[in-house]
């Protein structure tokens, strides 16, 4: 053992696959030698045991078998076209070949059906011997293409053949010097073979490899050209076996010992040879065939580094299982307790069968036949039934899980013909298997699953065993039937099979019906996906559907499923994620090969909502490849929620596996009463704010405030914020219509972004006025317009382009808070608030500093702290009033999830933002008040000229006068008629506000030129109504 791992050496030699299954049955895996800790543990174990090498080790880079995507049925290749119009076409491999004691060459060819002469597919010539290795073909009288090899100049007979049908064919040729054995394979089948050549020597190195021509001299004098297409040429310096060739024919890759792998960049082509793209069908029945040899440890170097090699996977060798240290110790404890004293369940088993004890402790010999596995599962099911009252111990649970894993790996012997007898055995095995699995995943065993979680990965291990068992037995289970159902209280398995044809129907599967729930757990494969399988060349389709109704209680509800929580609006606090539904699965088999396709499923919510909590469903699947040491984990990739209903959720996933609903648990921060109160408060406050904004804008227009950059910024902020709040008030009404709600959401996003952009401009303007000025007013306003309106349009446009499908929330007219869309609003808002916070702090610092300097200048010797404080407060107060104008009250929005009180404060402050703006920009704005004052004075002046009785007087020298002003003559004035005359005459009136009169008394002076002397006539008027 090492600090993290425990290593066990098996006493029996097994093939690689059986060794891997044995380790898996021990809740471990074959040892790897990638890490230094693994190397140390394996070396120490082998040194103490003195066992001989080699032993099996696992290659971590080798992917396990899984469903293949549909695209693998048709593989796209880059091919070379050798046209019939030219006899000079060829392609040369740009590589240097070593001396070879064995060689294999595989290539895909499409023969030109119109050419009947001898053609050379490839030729290899060495400097000292031209016809070293060559493959050629010709058409016979029956229309077949015959193939022949030339080795060391010896021309072998034309015997291997394939039809001249214009289709693609896979050809492999192999040769081995030791035995002289050679073979020709066509489309995975060996068509010709022999042994012996004239000279048993290696193939010379440093040669030239040519496609499409025979070399009569080294690298030249080409004859017997090939016409057609060639692709997927690969060369090895080993002699491939039949299983390798069959796997290559099925488009599986072959990497060990490869000399040349098909790549057009490594070829030099004649100008007449053109590159084309072709789509080739890869036979589905061999798609999952094992191709690679298996890795072995054959020794150690002088530096104690492992020396690895490759060996045929069917050879029996020793092996080492690796498991986590804690798991090994717990497993050893359980095994020791089991051997010291059998449990009730084990005693019952021993009474039923003498072989049971040996099998349940997992001997490497395992189970040898379906009948043996079926009998063992049958008595295990009887023992579980008989000991139901006593219950199971930890050792019993572990032993039964091991038994299921062992039985699932019993070979189904697909090479033999499926008979009615084997079908009956397979169906009996399946029923017993499901019965035992149903017992141990029952809800009453939930605590026992928690007790053995250090050893067993969890109930999904049982699910994996069921998947393996059913998939392995399909060829036998479905003899003379196309529909099979196995139903137990917690498990339902259904196998459906049909021959694909044009217009094939879709498949659906549902869990058992219950009286409580009208909505069933269902999964389906859409008809369009079935048609796609037919179009891709599949003939027979088999679907394996399984429903597990009691898995969710076996997952510890107190143990949170690690998952990134959905972003909320602050009304809920994320608590965790739990499994909240049954588990449902489907496996699609096309021509007995697993394929991946999209599915749609509906699952009921099995977890009840405690008071004060809410659940948000997430569609997920169990990914066995995610953290494989732990048996996998939940994953959401490729799955989306289609719709959320009361009590159930509909999902869609782009692959097939085991699906479930994960429920994200939230604690409701606000009661329904608080939610209603907040909605009403928002509506009322927005109405008040909107009125304040409207009055402010009307005042700006009506009183004629002089134009300035500050006034322009204020107006734009008022417009943006006013429209945003108006849309917010109408958003509830628009939520009933999907299209209208989407438009309102986009407009809300736009105008709220514009509001914050103009708040940012307010901050920048305040900075430029108080702190520093670095830009002219015209250029500054252009920049402000770009920030205020251009930036929001850009942000909203990009957001709609990137996430138009997930832009809007599901239940109201606002951005979707369950994905990254909400950051298109939150991100800019946080930036604006940060900038404006810095601006305000800097402005306060500057104004306070100025105020203190002025106070010291006024009274440098006796300035009291109180005077400085009063002066500082007098300067700081108007700046603090700018808090809502700069949007800094939105900082409360970042904390609303902490308390409902903060939510009330946040809504009140921001919904009344318009009222703040009205107070700051209207009532306490000196420009607005001065403009209103001027309007009042003009109205009084006009009213003063409407007096009816004039009074003449001479001004007193002691009469105090405080203000003078020019006014135009009015038609009602007596001077108007008296002074009417030539156009050259002028008439001027002066109005004097005389403090000696009453507060509202004015004196009007008319100046009229008479003859050549200037005469001033003073006429006094009383205001009308006086």
């Amino acid at each position: 053992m090492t600090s993290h791992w425990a290593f066990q050496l098996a006493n029996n030699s097994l093939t690689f696959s059986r060794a891997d299954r044995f380790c898996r049955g021990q809740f471990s895996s074959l040892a790897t030698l990638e890490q230094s800790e693994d190397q140390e543990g394996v070396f120490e174990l082998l040194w103490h045991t003195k066992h001989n090498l080699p032993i099996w080790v696992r290659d971590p880079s080798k992917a396990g078998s899984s469903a293949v995507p549909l695209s693998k049925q048709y593989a796209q290749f880059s091919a070379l076209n050798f046209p019939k119009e030219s006899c000079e076409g060829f392609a040369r491999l740009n590589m240097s070949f070593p001396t070879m004691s064995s060689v294999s060459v595989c290539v895909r060819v499409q023969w030109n059906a119109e050419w009947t002469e001898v053609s050379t597919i490839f030729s290899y010539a060495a400097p000292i011997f031209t016809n070293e290795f060559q493959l050629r073909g010709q058409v016979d009288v029956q229309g077949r293409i015959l193939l022949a090899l030339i080795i060391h100049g010896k021309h072998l007979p034309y015997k291997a053949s394939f039809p001249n049908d214009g289709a693609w064919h896979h050809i492999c040729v192999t040769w081995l010097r030791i035995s002289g054995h050679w073979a020709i394979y066509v489309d995975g089948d060996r068509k010709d073979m022999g042994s012996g050549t004239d000279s048993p020597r290696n193939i010379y190195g440093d040669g030239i490899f040519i496609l499409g021509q025979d070399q009569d001299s080294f690298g030249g004098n080409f004859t017997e050209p090939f016409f057609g297409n060639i692709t997927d040429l690969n060369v090895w310096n080993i002699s491939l076996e039949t299983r390798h060739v069959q796997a290559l024919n099925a488009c599986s890759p072959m990497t060990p010992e490869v000399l040349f792998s098909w790549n057009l960049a490594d070829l030099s082509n004649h100008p007449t040879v053109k590159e084309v793209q072709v789509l080739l069908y890869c036979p589905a029945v061999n798609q999952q065939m094992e191709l690679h040899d298996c890795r072995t440890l054959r020794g150690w170097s002088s530096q104690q580094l492992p020396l690895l090699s490759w060996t045929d996977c069917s050879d029996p060798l020793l092996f080492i299982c690796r498991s986590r240290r804690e798991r090994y110790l717990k497993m050893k404890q359980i095994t020791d307790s089991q051997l010291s004293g059998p449990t009730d369940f084990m005693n019952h088993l021993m009474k039923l069968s003498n072989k049971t004890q040996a099998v349940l402790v997992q001997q490497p010999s395992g189970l040898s036949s379906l009948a043996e596995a079926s009998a063992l599962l049958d008595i295990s099911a009887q023992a579980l039934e008989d000991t139901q009252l006593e219950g199971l111990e930890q050792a019993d649970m572990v032993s039964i899980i091991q038994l299921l894993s062992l039985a699932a790996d019993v070979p189904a012997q697909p090479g033999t013909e499926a008979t009615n007898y084997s079908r009956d055995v397979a169906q009996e095995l399946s029923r017993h298997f499901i019965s035992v699995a149903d017992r141990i995943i029952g809800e009453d065993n939930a605590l026992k699953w928690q007790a053995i979680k250090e050893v067993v990965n969890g109930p999904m291990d049982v699910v994996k065993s069921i998947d393996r068992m059913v998939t392995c037995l399909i060829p036998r289970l479905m003899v003379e039937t196309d529909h099979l159902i196995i139903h137990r209280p917690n498990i339902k398995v259904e196998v459906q099979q049909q021959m694909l044809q044009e217009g094939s129907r879709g498949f659906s599967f549902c869990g058992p019906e219950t009286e409580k729930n009208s909505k069933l757990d269902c999964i389906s494969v859409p008809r369009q996906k079935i048609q796609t399988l037919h179009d891709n060349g599949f003939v027979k389709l088999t679907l394996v559907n399984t429903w597990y109704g009691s898995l969710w209680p076996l997952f510890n509800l107190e143990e949170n499923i690690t998952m990134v929580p959905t972003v909320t609006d602050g009304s809920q606090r994320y608590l965790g994620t739990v499994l909240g539904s049954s588990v449902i699965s489907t496996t699609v088999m096309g021509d007995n090969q697993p394929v991946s396709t999209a599915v749609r499923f509906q699952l009921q919510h099995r977890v009840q909502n405690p008071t004060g909590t809410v659940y948000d469903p997430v569609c997920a699947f169990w990914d066995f490849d995610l953290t494989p040491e732990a048996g996998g984990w939940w994953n959401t990739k490729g799955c989306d929620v289609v719709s959320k209903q009361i009590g159930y959720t509909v999902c869609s996933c782009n692959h097939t596996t085991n699906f479930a609903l994960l429920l994200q648990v939230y604690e409701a921060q606000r009661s329904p009463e608080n939610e209603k109160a907040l909605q009403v408060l928002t509506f009322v406050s927005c109405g008040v704010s909107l009125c304040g904004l409207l009055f402010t804008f009307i005042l700006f227009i009506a009183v004629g405030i002089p134009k300035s950059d500050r006034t322009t910024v204020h107006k734009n902020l008022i417009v943006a914020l006013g429209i945003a709040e108006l849309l917010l008030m109408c958003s509830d009404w628009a939520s009933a219509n999907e299209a209208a709600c989407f438009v309102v959401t986009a407009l809300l996003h736009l105008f709220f972004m514009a509001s914050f952009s103009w708040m940012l401009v307010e901050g920048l303007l305040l900075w430029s006025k108080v702190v520093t000025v670095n830009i002219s007013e015209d250029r500054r306003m252009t920049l402000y317009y770009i920030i205020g309106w251009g930036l929001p349009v850009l942000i909203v446009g990009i957001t709609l382009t990137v996430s138009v499908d997930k832009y809007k929330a599901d239940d109201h007219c606002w951005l979707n808070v369950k994905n990254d869309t909400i950051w298109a609003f939150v991100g800019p808002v946080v930036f604006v608030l940060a900038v404006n916070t810095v601006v305000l702090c800097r402005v306060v610092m500057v104004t306070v500093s100025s105020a203190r300097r002025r106070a010291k200048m006024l009274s440098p010797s006796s300035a009291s702290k109180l005077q400085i404080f009063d002066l500082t407060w007098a300067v700081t107060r108007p700046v603090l009033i700018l808090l809502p104008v700069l949007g800094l009250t939105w900082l409360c929005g970042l904390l609303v999830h902490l308390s409902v009180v903060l939510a009330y404060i946040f809504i009140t402050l921001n919904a009344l933002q318009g009222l703040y703006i009205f107070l700051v920009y209207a009532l306490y704005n000196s420009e607005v008040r001065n403009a209103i004052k001027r309007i009042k004075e003009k109205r009084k002046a006009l009213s003063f000229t409407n007096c009816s009785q004039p009074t003449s007087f001479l001004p007193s020298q002691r009469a105090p006068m405080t203000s003078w002003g020019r006014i135009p003559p009015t038609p009602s004035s007596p001077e108007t008629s008296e002074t009417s005359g030539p156009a050259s005459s002028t008439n001027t009136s002066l109005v004097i506000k005389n403090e000696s009169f009453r507060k509202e008394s004015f004196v009007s002076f008319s100046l009229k030129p008479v003859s050549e002397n200037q005469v001033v006539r003073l006429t006094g008027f009383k205001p009308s109504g006086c």
Side-chain angles (χ1 to χ4, degrees), residues 537-806:
F538 288 100
V539 178
K540 182 176 64 176
L541 186 67
T542 306
L543 272 83
V544 181
N545 301 299
T546 315
W547 171 87
Y548 305 93
S550 60
L551 288 183
W552 62 270
L554 307 185
F555 286 84
N556 187 4
L557 293 179
E558 298 178 357
E559 182 178 354
N560 177 42
I561 297 175
T562 304
M563 180 173 289
V564 178
T566 299
V567 181
T568 68
D569 57 0
S571 62
Q572 302 164 355
R573 184 168 65 89
Y574 177 71
L575 298 179
T577 303
V578 298
L579 176 63
S581 72
S582 302
V583 175
I584 197 167
S585 70
T586 188
T587 301
V588 181
M589 309 282 291
D591 297 334
N592 295 329
Q593 172 204 5
V595 294
S596 182
T597 184
V599 297
R600 186 184 179 103
F601 60 92
Q602 167 188 298
L603 292 173
Q604 304 173 61
H605 302 168
R606 298 284 181 175
V607 180
Q608 300 298 323
N609 289 26
T611 303
T613 61
V614 294
Y615 291 135
D616 186 36
V618 177
C619 304
F621 66 95
W622 187 266
D623 189 350
F624 288 101
D625 295 329
L626 198 65
T627 61
E629 290 293 341
W633 198 241
W634 295 107
N635 197 342
T636 60
K637 185 177 181 180
C639 293
D640 297 297
V641 174
V642 176
S643 65
K644 301 176 185 178
Q645 308 296 334
I646 299 177
Y648 70 96
T649 299
V650 180
C651 301
S652 175
C653 291
N654 60 7
H655 55 275
T656 54
T657 184
N658 302 283
F659 303 102
L661 290 180
L662 302 181
L663 300 182
Q664 292 190 331
V665 187
Y666 296 91
E667 180 184 15
Q669 296 289 89
R670 308 167 191 164
S671 64
E673 293 78 11
N674 281 328
E675 288 289 340
K676 185 64 177 178
L678 289 172
Q679 289 180 1
V680 173
L681 178 62
T682 300
F683 188 86
V684 173
S685 300
C686 281
V688 174
S689 178
L690 187 60
C691 291
L693 292 172
L694 182 62
F695 291 154
T696 304
F697 189 78
I698 292 175
L699 278 176
F700 276 25
I701 301 300
V703 302
I705 298 177
K707 184 178 179 181
S708 65
D709 54 354
R710 183 173 56 182
T711 304
T712 304
V713 171
H714 295 345
K715 289 179 180 178
N716 281 276
L717 173 59
I718 290 170
V719 169
L721 190 58
I723 296 177
E725 293 189 348
L726 180 61
L727 289 169
L728 183 62
M729 295 174 67
C730 302
S731 61
D732 286 341
W733 298 322
S735 59
N737 185 289
E738 187 70 19
C741 190
F742 186 90
V743 173
V744 170
T745 299
L747 293 176
L748 275 172
H749 188 194
L750 174 64
F751 283 102
F752 268 118
M753 282 306 310
S755 300
F756 277 96
S757 297
W758 284 108
M759 291 176 197
L760 175 62
V761 172
E762 290 277 2
L764 297 177
L765 180 63
L766 186 60
W767 180 280
S768 66
K769 296 292 186 182
V770 178
V771 180
T772 181
V773 180
N774 293 322
I775 188 172
S776 65
E777 183 173 339
D778 294 338
R779 292 174 57 192
R780 186 167 58 212
M781 283 309 304
T782 302
L783 176 63
Y784 290 166
Y785 274 113
I786 293 175
I787 296 174
W789 294 111
L791 190 60
V793 171
L794 180 63
I795 292 174
V796 174
I798 293 176
T799 307
L800 286 172
T801 302
V802 173
S803 58
V804 64
D805 296 332
K806 300 179 181 180

Side-chain angles (χ1 to χ4, degrees), residues 338-399:
Q338 185 178 0
L339 295 175
S340 61
T343 63
D344 293 337
F345 172 76
M346 287 298 177
N347 283 326
H348 219 81
L349 277 178
M350 286 187 288
K351 292 178 182 178
L352 296 174
S353 173
N354 293 330
K355 297 181 180 180
T356 301
Q357 181 69 19
V359 171
L360 291 187
V361 296
Q362 179 74 107
Q363 296 300 320
S365 57
L367 300 173
S368 58
S369 66
L370 295 177
E372 181 184 357
S374 178
L376 185 55
L377 289 169
D378 184 21
I379 60 175
S380 297
Q382 295 179 34
L384 287 170
E385 181 71 25
D386 296 340
T387 59
Q388 185 174 4
L389 294 178
E390 292 83 356
L392 297 173
E393 301 293 335
Q394 295 182 27
D396 301 332
M397 293 283 293
V398 172
S399 298

Side-chain angles (χ1 to χ4, degrees), residues 311-330:
T311 305
D312 192 324
C313 298
S314 60
D315 292 344
L317 296 176
L318 295 175
F319 56 95
I320 293 177
C321 297
R322 184 192 72 167
S323 61
R324 292 198 304 269
R325 181 187 179 97
E326 297 79 7
R327 174 173 290 181
Y328 169 77
L329 295 176
K330 182 67 174 180

Side-chain angles (χ1 to χ4, degrees), residues 911-987:
L912 297 177
Q913 191 172 8
L915 185 58
Y916 280 113
I917 291 176
F918 174 71
L919 295 175
V920 174
Y921 291 169
L923 293 185
Y924 294 101
N925 190 328
S926 60
E927 292 182 348
V928 175
R929 297 172 70 180
N930 290 336
I932 295 175
K933 187 176 181 180
R934 288 195 298 269
I935 292 174
K936 289 182 178 180
E937 290 179 349
K938 287 182 180 180
R939 289 183 177 177
K940 290 179 180 179
L942 292 176
S943 176
F944 183 78
T945 59
N946 290 329
C947 293
S948 57
Q949 295 181 352
T951 303
S952 297
F953 65 96
L954 293 175
S956 172
Q957 295 180 352
R958 293 173 297 184
M961 294 180 290
T962 61
S963 62
W964 293 76
R966 293 177 178 267
I967 62 171
T970 61
S972 60
S973 176
E975 286 76 11
T976 304
S977 58
E978 293 179 2
T979 58
S980 61
S984 61
S985 64
T986 59
N987 183 36

